[in-house]
Amino acid sequence: MSLQARLQQGGRWALAALALAALATVYTNAYFPTWIPVAATIVAIAALVWPREMLVAIAAVGPVVNLSVVAAEWPILRAIEALVLAVLAGWLVRRGPRPAGPLLRRLLPAAIVLIAILVTSSAALAIEVHAVAPQEFASTMHALSHWYLWTADTTGVVAAVMLIEGVLLTLAIVDMAEAAPRLAIAIIEALGCGGAIAALLTMLLATGLLPDVFVRHVRLPNGRFAAHVTDVNAAGSYFAMLIGLGAGMAASTRGTRRRVWLGTVGLLAVGLTLTGSRSAFVGATAVPIGAALVAARRRMRIDRRATWALAILVGGLAIAVLARAGFGSGSELRQEFTVTSLRMIAARPIFGLGIGRYYDFSRLILTPRLGVLYGNENAHDYYLQIAAEIGLAGFAAFAWWLFVLLRPMAGSVADRSRDFVSAGLLVGAAVFLITSLSGHPFLVREAAIPFWMLLGAGAIASRVPISTSVRDRSTPRSTRVAWIAAALLVVSLPLRPETPRLRLRPGQDGFGEWRTGAEGRVRDMTAFAAIYIGPKVTGLEITMRLAPDNRGHASMLVVDQEPGFSQHWTVVGRDWTTVHVELPGAAPLMAYQRINMSVLNRDGSMPADPNVALIEMRDVTISSAIP
């Protein structure tokens, strides 16, 4: 056996062990009722014996399987991920050393590099947490070993595994469908079925007919509905993606099947409408536009370069419309989110801040207004978020992976001998990717897993005879290069820098630099501000009063927020007032603690001009700290 074959076998067994270890946490948790490990065992055995059938089952019921767990009331766990882990473990164990098919060989180099980046990113975080907070590291590992399907973690394991699951799920579909191409069509049909079920449940939720036992977990914005997930924007991305799939199937079938698919598209459109997702609405416009492009390409034989130019133009227009319609009056906030993401990328441009760490690190670098409004938040642009977390190297690997998956579908669109299935799948994938410019459906498993399944099935469904369309352009050299890159990533672990000391630039936090003590210096404060404190500070005193030029108020409310810990309201008038703030101490990998401060009118409304000096601050004194 060659070295490359040994590496691939070792990688397969390592990934199988990872999937089994994650799934096995249901057996090590004494709080889980008996039916959960029993169900996990049944699913794992079924996945080992019938992996293809289980893939179809995940596509059909995966998006709504969590509702069965919700109905059982306890515990709320990531049920769809448990199904995926079982199928992946069964595929990896069962596959054996048989040669990979031509399409799978083309996908392997990109998959190897992306998985290596994700694994080393999480490993770097684990090494750093172990170095700076050994007790936190031990508690994190204990939580992962007992509550993996119910928890997140500081070391990025859950976030890394989530993306790795998507990569492996796509590879599993391609591998099994290369031997049995009908599997791809079965998965496509099952995805449509799952979308129709989710849309029907959403309609029942909107009309108040869904039983209470299913909706106790639902906390949705007024007038917006999604039954299978609590993120209405991710639900909108999911429905819009499947509209493209359904349109392609409807255009490629006849008789009763066409009527069924048209009915499915109608249900999905209603589901999309009920989510109220503006970005998904804009993304869904790619469906008729894509249909027009495909028709023009086939009928008029437009030159390939002209087709790409037209597609880029339409895509640019869609993004511009999304920037306006999707962002609406919050465009300034979106710009501030973008600034936040770019600062994170600049802090660690090559390998990023660590997979899964954007949300936590955001508390240190959000603009003062975003800090007050959100405390912690995702990027509202998944591509910027992935670039911040795993760096430009990781973003390039992620883009490469998407490119090699989308290329077969794009290559078959202009073929007059083909039906419109590939075009529908390509448009559906494009819709999902477009909505990720203003959201993060990739972070919602019920939306991301169907997307990865669509890509895997689409890559196979787009194939025509290998001699004319899917030439095996991969070589042993490209795979060897991928393994060398993976080895270099592992070697780079001891050389990676420690977590950067992220914070706003001096002066942008609303106060500028300050020193403790009673020096009597005065700083002006506008409606939004932030103070950075050392990691061990547990108590703080701030002396403030209304600014002399603020003559329109006798007193105002000053709100101090410690993200994830506490919030206090203090009435500040013309006389000096001391505000006492308690802090928990910084979490691991956090170089600072941050206090977000805002100034409101006494009735809780925003000041007429939030950019003028409203409060002046004299002293900031540390009252207590961790030894």
Side-chain angles (χ1 to χ4, degrees), residues 4 39 48 62 93 115-116 162 172 217 228 240 324 335 387 398 439 472 490 564 578 603 620:
Q4 183 172 312
L48 185 62
V93 169
I115 290 174
M162 182 180 177
H217 72 297
H228 62 298
R324 295 183 63 86
Q335 292 172 7
F398 182 73
D472 181 15
V490 174
T578 299
D603 60 2
V620 177

Side-chain angles (χ1 to χ4, degrees), residues 52-349:
R52 295 173 185 171
E53 290 77 5
M54 289 301 296
L55 279 174
V56 175
I58 289 176
V61 303
V64 296
V65 72
N66 193 53
L67 289 179
S68 62
V69 180
V70 170
E73 297 187 6
W74 171 266
I76 305 299
L77 51 76
R78 300 192 294 268
I80 188 173
E81 185 174 5
L83 290 177
V84 171
L85 288 169
V87 171
L88 292 178
W91 167 63
L92 290 165
V93 169
R94 181 182 171 129
R95 187 183 189 282
R98 61 182 172 84
L103 183 55
L104 185 63
R105 287 198 296 272
R106 292 180 62 188
L107 298 177
L108 277 177
I112 290 170
V113 173
L114 180 56
I115 290 174
I117 287 175
L118 293 169
V119 170
T120 54
S121 180
S122 178
L125 286 172
I127 291 170
E128 191 171 357
V129 172
H130 183 270
V132 301
Q135 291 184 344
E136 174 71 16
F137 177 82
S139 64
T140 298
M141 293 300 105
H142 180 270
L144 288 173
S145 64
H146 290 78
W147 299 94
Y148 171 79
L149 291 171
W150 199 16
T151 188
D153 68 297
T154 311
T155 57
V157 169
V158 172
V161 170
M162 182 180 177
L163 257 180
I164 292 172
E165 287 168 356
V167 174
L168 293 180
L169 188 59
T170 308
L171 292 177
I173 291 172
V174 169
D175 182 46
M176 287 186 268
E178 281 200 291
R182 182 66 181 81
L183 174 63
I185 299 301
I187 288 175
I188 292 169
E189 292 173 341
L191 286 171
C193 176
I197 294 172
L200 283 170
L201 290 172
T202 299
M203 293 167 64
L204 292 176
L205 176 64
T207 55
L209 298 178
L210 196 64
D212 289 345
V213 70
F214 291 108
V215 298
R216 292 174 184 171
H217 72 297
V218 175
R219 298 291 185 273
L220 299 175
N222 291 333
R224 303 178 68 183
F225 303 94
H228 62 298
V229 290
T230 55
D231 187 328
V232 288
N233 291 315
S237 300
Y238 167 75
F239 286 131
M241 173 186 72
L242 293 184
I243 287 174
L245 177 151
M249 292 296 290
S252 305
T253 53
R254 296 290 183 272
T256 301
R257 293 190 67 197
R258 168 173 284 187
R259 288 192 288 272
V260 170
W261 276 110
L262 288 174
T264 300
V265 170
L267 287 174
L268 293 168
V270 173
L272 170 60
T273 302
L274 292 175
T275 65
S277 173
R278 290 179 293 178
S279 60
F281 277 123
V282 174
T285 60
V287 176
I289 293 174
L293 284 174
V294 172
R297 180 76 173 92
R298 292 189 179 187
R299 293 177 181 176
M300 301 172 60
R301 295 185 179 275
I302 302 174
D303 180 77
R304 177 175 296 182
R305 287 174 294 182
T307 303
W308 278 109
L310 183 60
I312 292 172
L313 175 61
V314 171
L317 290 174
I319 292 171
V321 173
L322 179 65
R324 295 183 63 86
F327 300 164
S329 60
S331 59
E332 292 184 4
L333 296 182
R334 297 288 182 166
Q335 292 172 7
E336 292 180 24
F337 273 119
T338 300
V339 169
T340 298
S341 300
L342 293 177
R343 287 172 177 168
M344 287 194 185
I345 294 171
R348 287 290 180 268

